[in-house]
């Protein structure tokens, strides 16, 4: 099952829990837990049955999961062979070789998953500040526009441009400028709510999407935005000390 974490309950008690993308086992799994079994998922799940084409395609598109799945099948097969096949159980040399192969696959899985997480982060995040990047911001903006049209809700987009950053960067160097951008990004993010999206568009330009949720009145929106703008300007204006140098920039 792909998607959210899955929990299996029996008579109101949790029997088993599975992380997203976990291999739940064979078709007998739920029957083994019957009767009074309920299966809940934190998000709508997609059930992929091996070896049908959708599952094979999913394995091809998600190599780390494919390796994990293969490792699981190999480990499961080794366990069953050891328990049920006398000849295999007595052939220690073969069992040791297969165990080494399983361990090597597990190490490869961890390395692939680490690489995929890093690639996903780089695809969606600004490498300097850790904020959303331009691409991720554009995607989030499209989602907000669609949601606003569907649910008749409103949101605000706030552009934040740093004043005097170029001159300071030229005077003290790029390493100093990068440090200032990191601190500024933290301050801007601190002013935002968890439901807001903060991104760095590039250079010294930042952008923030504030979601109003349940549609407030126009006066309430204006008051909230004015307050946010004041907090952002005040936060950016605070002096930043780096390598013994005090720097101060402002925001428009």
């Amino acid at each position: 099952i792909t998607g959210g974490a899955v929990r299996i309950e029996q008579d109101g008690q949790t029997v088993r829990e599975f992380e997203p993308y976990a291999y739940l086992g064979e078709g007998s799994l739920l029957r083994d837990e019957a009767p009074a079994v309920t299966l809940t998922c934190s998000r709508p799940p997609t059930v992929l049955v091996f070896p049908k084409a959708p599952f094979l395609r999913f394995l091809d598109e998600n190599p780390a999961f494919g390796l994990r799945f293969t490792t699981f099948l190999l480990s499961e097969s080794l366990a069953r062979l050891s328990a049920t096949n006398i000849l295999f159980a007595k052939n220690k040399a073969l069992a040791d070789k297969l165990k080494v192969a399983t361990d090597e696959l597990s190490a490869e899985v961890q390395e692939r998953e680490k690489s995929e997480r890093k690639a996903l982060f780089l695809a969606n995040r600004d490498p300097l500040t850790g904020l959303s990047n331009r691409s991720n911001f554009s995607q989030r903006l499209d989602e907000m526009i669609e949601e606003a049209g569907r649910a008749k809700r409103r949101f605000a987009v706030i552009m934040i441009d740093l004043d005097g950053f170029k001159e300071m960067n030229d005077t003290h160097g790029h390493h100093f400028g990068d440090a200032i951008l990191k601190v500024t990004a933290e301050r801007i993010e601190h002013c935002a709510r968890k439901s807001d999206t903060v991104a760095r568009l590039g250079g010294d330009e930042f952008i923030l999407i504030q979601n109003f949720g349940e549609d407030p009145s126009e006066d309430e929106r204006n008051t909230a935005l004015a307050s946010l703008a004041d907090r952002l300007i005040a936060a950016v204006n605070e002096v930043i000390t780096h390598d013994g140098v005090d720097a101060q920039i402002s925001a428009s």
Side-chain angles (χ1 to χ4, degrees):
I1 292 183
T2 67
V6 176
R7 183 172 68 254
I8 296 176
E9 297 177 347
Q10 183 177 10
D11 297 325
Q13 300 294 320
T14 298
V15 178
R16 300 184 192 180
E17 291 185 279
F18 299 88
E19 293 300 313
Y21 302 109
Y23 173 64
L24 266 68
E26 297 168 3
S28 63
L29 175 69
L30 293 183
R31 291 198 297 273
D32 289 345
E33 304 298 344
V37 168
T38 59
L39 181 136
T40 58
C41 189
S42 60
R43 291 193 318 218
T46 301
V47 179
L48 301 171
V49 183
F50 182 82
K52 291 184 179 179
F55 185 57
L56 296 178
R57 186 167 59 250
F58 179 81
L59 290 181
D60 185 54
E61 294 171 353
N62 298 270
F65 175 79
L67 281 171
R68 192 194 313 167
F69 179 78
T70 303
T71 305
F72 178 87
L73 290 184
L74 182 56
S75 301
E76 191 78 2
S77 298
L78 287 173
R80 293 190 183 190
L81 281 170
S82 299
T84 61
N85 190 303
I86 296 175
L87 293 177
F88 179 84
K90 290 183 177 180
N91 193 334
K92 188 175 184 304
L94 176 59
D96 288 345
K97 287 182 179 179
L98 290 174
K99 177 67 168 59
V100 169
T102 304
D103 291 342
E104 289 177 350
L105 264 177
S106 297
E108 178 68 14
V109 168
Q110 293 176 8
E111 192 61 34
R112 286 291 186 94
E113 289 180 334
K114 182 180 177 181
S115 297
E116 287 185 6
R117 286 194 297 269
K118 183 178 180 180
L120 182 62
F121 179 86
L122 292 175
N124 294 290
R125 295 285 173 175
D126 172 52
L128 177 64
T129 63
L131 299 178
S132 293
N133 59 15
R134 181 184 292 270
S135 175
N136 194 29
F137 164 77
S138 297
Q139 180 179 347
R140 179 61 179 151
L141 183 61
D142 289 341
E143 292 171 357
M144 293 296 296
I145 291 172
E146 182 179 347
E147 182 182 335
R150 184 177 62 253
K152 305 300 182 185
R153 295 182 177 181
R154 294 176 182 271
F155 65 93
V157 178
I158 301 175
M159 298 284 295
I160 306 159
D161 186 52
L162 304 185
D163 303 322
F165 176 78
K166 184 179 183 305
E167 292 78 5
M168 184 193 62
N169 199 38
D170 292 341
T171 301
H172 299 288
H174 293 297
H175 291 297
F176 188 89
D178 286 349
I180 300 303
L181 288 174
K182 288 180 182 179
V183 174
T184 301
E186 292 173 359
R187 292 179 176 180
I188 292 174
E189 196 168 30
H190 184 72
C191 292
R193 302 172 307 185
K194 289 185 177 181
S195 58
D196 297 338
T197 298
V198 182
R200 180 187 176 212
L201 297 184
D204 59 356
E205 294 180 334
F206 296 85
I207 197 161
L208 185 151
I209 301 178
Q210 180 162 93
N211 184 6
F212 289 112
E214 295 298 328
D215 198 11
S217 68
E218 184 175 355
D219 287 342
E220 290 173 327
R221 291 197 306 272
N222 290 339
T223 300
L225 285 174
S227 174
L228 175 59
D230 288 340
R231 293 199 309 274
L232 287 168
I233 291 173
V236 174
N237 280 353
E238 289 183 18
V239 173
I240 300 174
T241 302
H242 180 71
D243 284 346
V245 176
D246 290 342
Q248 186 170 26
I249 52 178
S250 58
S252 299

